Amino acid sequence: MKSQATMICYLMLFLVTEYSCYASKIHIKDGDKLQRPEGKPKTGRIQEKCHGPCITSSNCSQLCAQHFRGEIGFVCNQNKWQKSTETCTSLSVETLFEDSNSASRLSVAAPSIPLRILDFRAPEPIKSVAQGIRRNCPLDYACITDVVKSSEATAGNIAFIVELLRNISTDLSDNVTREKMKSYSKVANHVLDTAAISNWAFIPYKNASSDLLQSVNFFARQLHIHTESENIVDELFIQTKGFHINHNTTQKSFNFSMSMSNSTESILGIIEIPKEELWNLPPNTSQAISIAFPTLGAILKEAHSHNVSLPRPVNGLVLSVILPERLKQILLTFEKINKSRNARAQCVGWHSRKRKWDESVCKTTLDVRNKVKCRCNYTNVVMSFSILMSPKSIDNKVLDYITCIGLSISILSLILCLIIEATVWSRVVVTEISYMRHVCIVNIAVSLLIANVWFIIASNFNKKPQDYNWCVAVTFLSHFFYLSLFFWMLFKALLIMYGILVIFRRMIKSRLMVIGFAIGYGCPLIISVTTVAITMPRKGYVRPDACWLNWDNSKALLAFVIPALVIVAVNLVVVLVVAFNTQRPSIGSSKSQDVAIIMRISKNVAILTPLLGLTWGFGIATLIEGTSLIFHIIFALLNAFQIRDALRMRMSSLKGRSRVAENASLSPTNGSKLMNR
């Protein structure tokens, strides 16, 4: 026993020594031994700048940090060194399988195995990934996943992993099983992680992302599905599903829900195979496979094209599909990542040979706020689809100029209106009703003036995450004063009704003032505060791209639109009542005098109401998905110049001292005559 134990100890020592010699041989052969340290190397240990003078457009390079092979390239830009390329890698063919080799060699040293069958020769060096996988894990490819997942996602390692996946899809795709697809996807998931996205930009080979997509699609094409429907891969950044189909199958669809990161909401994607397409299949069973990528769109780079001057950002999942050759068309539904109303979408397919998005293979059938529907042609070279941010946007310089010029004129007109009111005030406020009418005019002008000022501030507000509370405050004030404008118009309309229908009984001025300010400012305050209280907990009060009431998520804008349009409708009813009542003479006065006085009183309501109503009618039209640019321009024109027209009406009503004298001489005991001008 003692001699046997001694022999085993010598045997173990010999094996360890032999493995160390084998490692030395690899080191000599490759020039630099790539040792994989415990855990992930820290990114901070990689040199991030060059030493020496920085001259514009000059270049320099630095060796990578310890445990990495390669170099980092820098370019001088604005007197600062900026990283341009990186090839730092800690992975190699040897490091992928060194743990498997050592484990298999040492496991042979068991006391129950006769010494005569032990092979003390060093194993043959692994010359390729395919050779290493066939030797160590031919059934599931799992021997490479731990090494890859523990490596740091440097640009050099990403490039190595992309080449690794390409080699596997080329050399080991003869019989792809579910287990192989899972291991393959775990490796791809590592370089598709959001933490790795920024490093893709430093890979010298710019077609790496395209190679990755093509390799995954090609490998998935060889996958065999054994059950009716399978969820094959469910990684965070890559999912794969498949099912069986034939010509009797009803309409089938793939449904994906994936997040860009752990902290973001899920983005949906749906692939549908129309029933009429399934009729083209033979009676025997075929299979359909689909793959979804939430982050691939951020790294997928198009080949240089003279027709595309700027990168076109992907605004949804990238969905790949592998179908039988007889199927030519699919339907896709994408949820938008950027749900801004300006984010128009364009359905596209990825042309694997041209390495670019192809617009001709897809047609956009629906483009609404949060989703897009596409009808696309499927071919062997166009198997992946997504949506791009369209260059066509309703952000138009014409709108900016109209709004800026129009609001400036409106603000000046409002100031002029207030100056005129101050000048003629003592001559026109001779009765309670006339006093309140001019109080309404002043408050309407003040409310709209302040609202316009806040609107301009909001339009030029540089909205950043840290400015969210300021944006809420600006939106609240704009909302409040725009509502005040409409509620003072409502009170003015009610004042006209009161003057027409109530003849023998009058309210005192103080009571009218209390009612006026309660309606003009109290109601808007209640609506504004309630809107904030309801929508703020869900961050749904303001828009993500502007300091104004949110429409897309919480419909907070309805807290302005509904009261405004209701008041417009009420004012139109008042105008009709005035027109009807002026057809009959009032008691104690001539019909012609009544008609003249009442019509002058209601003229501004009759003009302002349709003008404001028409303006916000076009404003509602701009909220409808897919609305034409003409509606936005009309809305901007009417909104900008409506007060100029109102001021013109106001100026004409103040012409001549004779009219003022006429109004001042009217008896306060005559109901219809109390409402001068």
Side-chain angles (χ1 to χ4, degrees):
M1 288 292 294
K2 183 176 180 181
S3 60
Q4 185 178 5
T6 305
M7 186 178 298
I8 292 173
C9 290
Y10 279 118
L11 171 64
M12 296 296 292
L13 179 61
F14 181 78
L15 287 173
V16 172
T17 306
E18 181 188 34
Y19 179 74
S20 300
C21 294
Y22 168 61
S24 300
K25 292 178 183 177
I26 297 176
H27 171 71
I28 294 171
K29 180 179 179 181
D30 290 346
D32 289 315
K33 177 70 179 82
L34 302 177
Q35 298 179 354
R36 182 162 49 86
E38 296 295 329
K40 292 185 181 181
K42 301 296 183 182
T43 306
R45 289 189 288 175
I46 297 178
Q47 186 64 257
E48 292 293 345
K49 63 180 180 179
C50 277
H51 297 289
C54 180
I55 303 173
T56 303
S57 299
S58 60
N59 299 286
C60 79
S61 61
Q62 294 284 342
L63 293 177
C64 300
Q66 186 181 6
H67 306 303
F68 287 88
R69 181 176 59 186
E71 63 180 20
I72 308 172
F74 296 87
V75 62
C76 182
N77 185 21
Q78 296 181 351
N79 297 325
K80 291 183 180 179
W81 289 112
Q82 295 181 356
K83 186 164 71 171
S84 56
T85 59
E86 178 200 307
T87 59
C88 299
T89 178
S90 59
L91 295 173
S92 68
V93 175
E94 289 80 11
T95 57
L96 285 176
F97 304 105
E98 65 179 7
D99 288 347
S100 299
N101 288 336
S102 60
S104 61
R105 291 287 293 167
L106 292 175
S107 63
V108 177
S112 59
I113 301 177
L115 291 174
R116 64 178 180 272
I117 68 172
L118 291 176
D119 181 10
F120 294 106
R121 292 175 299 172
E124 295 181 5
I126 298 174
K127 298 179 180 179
S128 68
V129 172
Q131 181 186 0
I133 290 178
R134 288 194 184 102
R135 180 184 298 178
N136 295 285
C137 51
L139 297 180
D140 57 6
Y141 303 171
C143 56
I144 63 173
T145 57
D146 289 340
V147 179
V148 170
K149 289 169 65 176
S150 64
S151 65
E152 184 178 353
T154 61
N157 279 343
I158 292 173
F160 177 88
I161 293 170
V162 170
E163 185 65 16
L164 167 68
L165 293 172
R166 192 180 70 83
N167 289 338
I168 292 175
S169 65
T170 302
D171 302 332
L172 297 171
S173 59
D174 50 347
N175 183 26
V176 178
T177 63
R178 181 185 181 125
E179 290 71 25
K180 292 177 181 179
M181 191 69 199
K182 282 187 174 182
S183 297
Y184 190 92
S185 299
K186 286 180 180 179
V187 175
N189 186 76
H190 183 64
V191 296
L192 290 170
D193 195 301
T194 50
I197 289 178
S198 60
N199 289 332
W200 279 84
F202 304 118
I203 300 176
Y205 180 58
K206 297 306 178 184
N207 291 329
S209 56
S210 177
D211 284 354
L212 173 64
L213 177 58
Q214 190 169 352
S215 299
V216 174
N217 289 345
F218 185 82
F219 193 75
R221 180 184 284 278
Q222 313 306 319
L223 176 64
H224 297 285
I225 301 174
H226 299 289
T227 61
E228 183 67 23
S229 179
E230 292 187 29
N231 290 326
I232 303 161
V233 175
D234 190 16
E235 297 293 329
L236 188 59
F237 303 105
I238 180 172
Q239 289 182 3
T240 305
K241 299 181 180 182
F243 49 64
H244 289 152
I245 54 176
N246 57 51
H247 73 288
N248 292 322
T249 307
T250 57
Q251 181 167 321
K252 280 284 190 177
S253 64
F254 296 99
N255 295 273
F256 294 97
S257 177
M258 305 183 73
S259 300
M260 301 295 292
S261 65
N262 290 325
S263 60
T264 59
E265 296 181 355
S266 296
I267 301 297
L268 303 179
I270 302 173
I271 301 175
E272 299 176 77
I273 306 175
K275 188 174 182 179
E276 56 270 21
E277 285 289 317
L278 292 169
W279 289 342
N280 298 325
L281 292 176
N284 56 310
T285 300
S286 304
Q287 65 180 25
I289 299 170
S290 183
I291 313 165
F293 309 88
T295 57
L296 182 61
I299 60 177
L300 199 55
K301 291 188 178 298
E302 295 185 81
H304 177 70
S305 173
H306 296 290
N307 297 327
V308 181
S309 58
L310 294 173
R312 297 177 290 178
V314 174
N315 199 25
L317 299 178
V318 175
L319 299 177
S320 292
V321 61
I322 295 95
L323 301 173
E325 291 184 0
R326 293 192 182 186
L327 300 184
K328 302 299 182 183
Q329 264 197 354
I330 56 174
L331 305 176
L332 301 108
T333 301
F334 296 95
E335 182 180 358
K336 294 180 180 179
I337 298 173
N338 180 355
K339 296 180 175 62
S340 166
R341 292 183 61 249
N342 293 343
R344 298 303 182 202
Q346 196 167 30
C347 298
V348 289
W350 181 261
H351 199 292
S352 58
R353 291 179 184 170
K354 297 179 180 178
R355 298 182 185 270
K356 59 181 291 187
W357 292 111
D358 190 348
E359 303 167 12
S360 64
V361 300
C362 290
K363 179 182 179 182
T364 304
T365 59
L366 177 69
D367 182 3
V368 295
R369 174 186 59 84
N370 62 339
K371 68 179 180 180
V372 178
K373 289 190 175 183
C374 313
R375 180 180 291 273
C376 297
N377 297 324
Y378 168 82
T379 66
N380 287 334
V381 294
V382 182
M383 304 166 56
S384 303
F385 306 89
S386 190
I387 54 173
L388 303 181
M389 292 275 282
S390 174
K392 298 176 182 178
S393 172
I394 60 172
D395 286 337
N396 194 291
K397 292 295 183 183
V398 176
L399 297 178
D400 296 336
Y401 290 137
I402 291 174
T403 302
C404 182
I405 297 172
L407 283 178
S408 300
I409 295 175
S410 293
I411 289 174
L412 293 176
S413 301
L414 287 166
I415 294 173
L416 181 59
C417 178
L418 292 174
I419 293 173
I420 293 172
E421 280 292 332
T423 303
V424 302
W425 183 266
S426 60
R427 291 176 291 174
V428 295
V429 293
V430 293
T431 65
E432 287 84 355
I433 298 297
S434 64
Y435 179 86
M436 290 307 304
R437 184 172 65 84
H438 285 276
V439 168
C440 290
I441 293 173
V442 170
N443 281 280
I444 288 173
V446 170
S447 297
L448 188 54
L449 176 62
I450 298 175
N452 283 345
V453 170
W454 283 114
F455 181 85
I456 292 175
I457 294 174
S459 299
N460 295 278
F461 203 79
N462 187 17
K463 186 175 179 295
K464 299 177 182 178
Q466 62 267 28
D467 297 329
Y468 178 77
N469 292 332
W470 283 104
C471 188
V472 169
V474 171
T475 303
F476 174 83
L477 291 170
S478 299
H479 183 205
F480 172 73
F481 282 106
Y482 274 125
L483 281 179
S484 297
L485 159 69
F486 281 93
F487 274 94
W488 275 108
M489 284 182 59
L490 174 64
F491 178 69
K492 191 170 183 181
L494 296 176
L495 198 64
I496 292 174
M497 291 289 293
Y498 171 74
I500 291 176
L501 301 179
V502 181
I503 298 176
F504 298 105
R505 183 179 177 183
R506 295 295 169 194
M507 289 187 185
I508 59 176
K509 185 190 302 183
S510 59
R511 185 174 297 178
L512 288 173
M513 288 285 287
V514 171
I515 295 174
F517 277 85
I519 293 175
Y521 292 118
C523 293
L525 183 62
I526 293 172
I527 295 173
S528 301
V529 171
T530 303
T531 305
V532 172
I534 293 174
T535 58
M536 272 292 288
R538 296 176 296 163
K539 298 290 184 181
Y541 182 61
V542 297
R543 299 186 179 190
D545 56 346
C547 292
W548 182 233
L549 297 172
N550 190 296
W551 171 259
D552 294 337
N553 300 326
S554 64
K555 299 295 186 290
L557 186 59
L558 292 177
F560 170 70
V561 171
I562 292 177
L565 294 184
V566 168
I567 291 172
V568 168
V570 170
N571 285 6
L572 287 173
V573 172
V574 171
V575 171
L576 294 176
V577 171
V578 169
F580 176 78
N581 277 271
T582 53
Q583 301 302 313
R584 298 175 299 174
S586 301
I587 300 174
S589 66
S590 67
K591 178 179 178 180
S592 61
Q593 191 178 34
D594 279 339
V595 171
I597 295 172
I598 295 174
M599 292 305 293
R600 283 200 303 270
I601 295 171
S602 58
K603 181 189 287 186
N604 50 2
V605 174
I607 292 178
L608 280 176
T609 297
L611 185 60
L612 289 170
L614 182 64
T615 298
W616 291 102
F618 279 104
I620 296 298
T622 64
L623 300 177
I624 300 174
E625 302 294 348
T627 185
S628 171
L629 176 64
I630 189 64
F631 285 102
H632 295 268
I633 295 177
I634 292 174
F635 175 61
L637 280 170
L638 292 176
N639 190 51
F641 293 106
Q642 61 186 6
I643 299 305
R644 186 197 65 177
D645 295 334
L647 179 61
R648 184 185 300 168
M649 178 273 296
R650 175 73 188 132
M651 294 280 292
S652 63
S653 68
L654 289 173
K655 286 181 180 179
R657 296 194 176 197
S658 59
R659 182 175 296 176
V660 176
E662 174 192 349
N663 293 328
S665 64
L666 294 175
S667 171
T669 61
N670 191 319
S672 60
K673 295 177 184 178
L674 288 173
M675 300 176 293
N676 49 13
R677 285 188 307 127

